[in-house]
Amino acid sequence: METRKIQEVSNGTFTVSLPKAWTTAHGFEAGMELRLYPHRDGTLVLRSSEADVEWLEDTTVDIDGGGADAVKRAVRTAHMVGFETITLTRNESFTAAEHEAIRSTVRELTGTDIIAESPSEVTIKHLLDTSSFSVRQSIIQLQYVVVSLLRDATEAFVDAAETPASVRARAAEARRSVEMVTRHFSRSLVSYNELDKLGVSRPELFAYYEIATHLETVIEQAVGIENTATELGDPPADAAVTDIYSIVDDVACAVDDAVTAVLNADLTKSHQARAKCDAAAERLSLAEQRLYDESGSESVAAAVALANTLSQLRRTAECSRSMADIAAQTAIRTNNIDL
């Protein structure tokens, strides 16, 4: 690292000299126009082009076979990388199934639409401005929805009943929120401007991204429990129901406390979340042992369903513990570093 002193010249203008080796290595010459990008965190970025803005403007993806699944992956991947405009092309015309796959995928992406379409080329554009998106608010909404989904899926399992379609719709909506957080996190890796529009620091955004990915895993576990409920013929035994309710209560509280701890940089809340995770883990071990000891007292299908649900709850508890660790890191960093 080199240091430079700020010099004052005529008319109150300040100047700073640039290291010669650095300017030579990057092809800078006297008289060349440079662009300065001041950012909210106090950083001043110096560039010879508008790359910070242009890098994520558009991309073209050539689809070489693979069918409908390939075009779905291409759209989602390019969208989550953060490109504003995505053009899909093929040497031959897209099939009817591929066109429909593109349309259905775009419908699932928040703020995205098809702006041009031909037999061999489809152009997709993200229409929402970054400044209209709040990462923090998205995490708060995810927190509420995920805890609710977990409890609703458990009710379905306990009652051996199929949950309403609205539950699956809420799960799909929650996944879209995760995708949006991922998109903006990915854009921030190459654009300081993205961070300015989001109004968060890099450490904050990284913590939110980590939390969102863990919440997505919890969503998958809740959906898995709900799917198990639809396959279960009869409600589980009373003892199993008591175990499940106790475990879910601990796990749901752990998820809720961990997310709150990250949002508020609250070390106490992170400790509470971890304690709930430990309690859930202990209850899970006891429930699994009871299932093993009493394996002959109920049908094989019921035992398998209960084992699967306990496994999904254990995975959820592990995610909660990871979120509690993220919360502790966030609290310690926030309380000791002036961002």
Side-chain angles (χ1 to χ4, degrees):
M1 182 187 75
E2 294 189 41
T3 60
R4 290 288 189 276
K5 287 186 177 181
I6 297 176
Q7 305 291 329
E8 184 174 2
V9 294
S10 61
N11 299 322
T13 301
F14 294 98
T15 65
V16 176
S17 62
L18 301 177
K20 183 176 181 181
W22 181 80
T23 55
T24 300
H26 290 81
F28 292 172
E29 299 176 353
M32 178 181 289
E33 184 178 83
L34 300 178
R35 292 174 174 83
L36 303 180
Y37 297 90
H39 296 284
R40 63 186 295 273
D41 64 356
T43 302
L44 183 64
V45 177
L46 178 70
R47 282 184 172 149
S48 59
S49 70
E50 295 186 70
D52 189 53
V53 177
E54 295 174 349
W55 279 336
L56 296 169
E57 186 63 29
D58 57 69
T59 186
T60 298
V61 182
D62 295 322
I63 307 296
D64 184 17
D69 288 340
V71 296
K72 285 182 179 180
R73 286 194 301 271
V75 173
R76 285 195 177 276
T77 301
H79 179 264
M80 284 198 288
V81 166
F83 288 104
E84 294 291 342
T85 304
I86 305 162
T87 300
L88 305 178
T89 64
R90 280 199 67 173
N91 291 331
E92 301 175 354
S93 296
F94 287 107
T95 65
E98 289 168 339
H99 271 292
E100 180 53 35
I102 295 171
R103 296 187 195 105
S104 65
T105 303
V106 169
R107 284 195 296 268
E108 294 171 358
L109 299 176
T110 303
T112 302
D113 203 359
I114 295 173
I115 60 172
E117 189 172 8
S118 70
S120 60
E121 185 173 294
V122 180
T123 301
I124 302 159
K125 188 171 181 61
H126 186 75
L127 304 172
L128 295 181
D129 186 80
T130 298
S131 58
S132 67
F133 179 76
S134 170
V135 182
R136 181 183 177 86
Q137 189 59 40
S138 293
I139 297 298
I140 292 172
Q141 291 171 349
L142 275 170
Q143 175 187 20
Y144 172 78
V145 172
V146 170
V147 171
S148 176
L149 285 173
L150 189 58
R151 294 189 183 279
D152 288 349
T154 302
E155 288 289 346
F157 176 78
V158 167
D159 295 336
E162 186 173 353
T163 57
S166 61
V167 171
R168 300 187 191 94
R170 284 158 55 211
E173 184 63 32
R175 292 190 191 98
R176 285 194 282 273
S177 293
V178 174
E179 288 179 342
M180 285 295 286
V181 173
T182 302
R183 170 184 170 82
H184 290 292
F185 171 74
S186 181
R187 285 176 60 84
S188 76
L189 296 177
V190 297
S191 173
Y192 274 99
N193 190 47
E194 186 75 7
L195 284 171
D196 286 350
K197 287 187 174 183
L198 290 172
V200 296
S201 66
R202 286 188 188 276
E204 287 173 330
L205 183 56
F206 183 68
Y208 293 157
Y209 165 72
E210 284 190 298
I211 289 297
T213 58
H214 284 303
L215 289 175
E216 184 175 30
T217 301
V218 177
I219 293 168
E220 297 306 321
Q221 304 315 304
V223 170
I225 294 172
E226 187 272 336
N227 288 337
T228 301
T230 64
E231 300 166 0
L232 190 61
D234 299 311
D238 290 345
V241 169
T242 300
D243 288 340
I244 291 294
Y245 274 137
S246 297
I247 293 165
V248 169
D249 188 56
D250 284 335
V251 171
C253 288
V255 171
D256 196 44
D257 285 348
V259 177
T260 298
V262 170
L263 292 168
N264 299 330
D266 188 334
L267 191 57
T268 300
K269 273 288 186 184
S270 72
H271 292 329
Q272 292 174 357
R274 207 175 220 300
K276 288 291 185 182
C277 292
D278 293 341
E282 185 175 346
R283 293 181 191 276
L284 278 162
S285 296
L286 291 173
E288 289 165 345
Q289 185 61 48
R290 186 178 295 111
L291 176 63
Y292 176 79
D293 293 340
E294 301 175 0
S295 58
S297 62
E298 54 186 330
S299 70
V300 173
V304 170
L306 180 56
N308 287 340
T309 296
L310 292 174
S311 176
Q312 286 152 344
L313 289 174
R314 183 173 290 281
R315 182 74 184 96
T316 302
E318 291 169 354
C319 284
S320 302
R321 183 177 286 106
S322 296
M323 288 191 286
D325 291 342
I326 295 167
Q329 295 163 14
T330 300
I332 292 172
R333 179 178 59 243
T334 301
N335 294 331
N336 289 275
I337 300 177
D338 183 8
L339 297 175

